Amino acid sequence: MTHTLVLASQSPRRQELLAQIGYVFSCEPANINEDIKENENAVDYVQRLAIEKAQATYHSIGAPQNNDVVVLGSDTSVVYNHCILGKPANLDECITQLQMLSGQTHQVLTSIAAVNLDKVLSKVVTTEVTFKTLTLDEITRYWHTGEPQDKAGSYGIQGIAGQFVTNITGSYSAVVGLPLFETAQLLSKFGVNTPIQLISKENI
């Protein structure tokens, strides 16, 4: 059976990562409320958002009455000392966030969720990232590159900020926005396979 895969995101980074491992898909961004609920921890937050994004897109495309359509949602949060760091609204917020991360190890939580007519499955991937000590001048100059403005935690590891990272434990692609191994494993449970997975099954 051929399945239609829909990515519930307009993130160029997630699109590039999903295409990188051979998936063919369309994009239909989800419009949901991303506010943190009272007493909601970071794991629950990213998991809820990934599921809600996938479900919102599934319904926005007409809630197909068969299992031919699978929607993939994802959400990424940068967490330091149990505090979720969102996208900075201005230079001051960027400075505050990056000074928190300077010389420290923080967590990046990325959740993926897949939805079809019958089921919803999700997984949260945690990666630890350690930064070198940053000066105020470095942070200010980084802000003016334009890169931090739309990034959770005020940085993009795949860009200029890659030079800040002294160590990473876990999935690099999850920090960018989509954990490749876990995504392929999750989608295979819906019968949505990469070309490599298809070849492997055919050769068995």
Side-chain angles (χ1 to χ4, degrees), residues 55-106:
Q55 290 176 328
T57 289
Y58 189 81
H59 290 291
S60 74
I61 60 177
Q65 296 305 302
N66 56 56
N67 284 324
D68 293 348
V69 177
V70 178
V71 178
L72 176 68
S74 183
D75 190 75
T76 300
S77 286
V78 174
V79 180
Y80 177 69
N81 197 23
H82 305 293
C83 179
I84 299 172
L85 306 182
K87 299 174 183 178
N90 50 48
L91 173 59
D92 287 342
E93 285 191 11
C94 178
I95 290 172
T96 298
Q97 291 188 353
L98 291 182
Q99 284 183 333
M100 290 173 62
L101 303 182
S102 175
Q104 303 294 325
T105 297
H106 63 274

Side-chain angles (χ1 to χ4, degrees), residues 156-177:
I157 195 171
Q158 75 284 357
I160 299 166
Q163 65 192 292
F164 300 159
V165 179
T166 63
N167 189 64
I168 179 170
T169 303
S171 171
Y172 171 83
S173 64
V175 181
V176 179

Side-chain angles (χ1 to χ4, degrees), residues 111-142:
S111 178
I112 50 174
V115 173
N116 69 359
L117 179 63
D118 291 337
K119 60 187 174 184
V120 177
L121 297 177
S122 65
K123 183 175 182 61
V124 177
V125 176
T126 301
T127 304
E128 292 198 337
V129 180
T130 304
F131 270 19
K132 76 182 189 75
T133 300
L134 302 174
T135 67
L136 177 59
D137 185 51
E138 282 178 309
I139 295 172
T140 302
R141 283 189 279 117
Y142 178 50

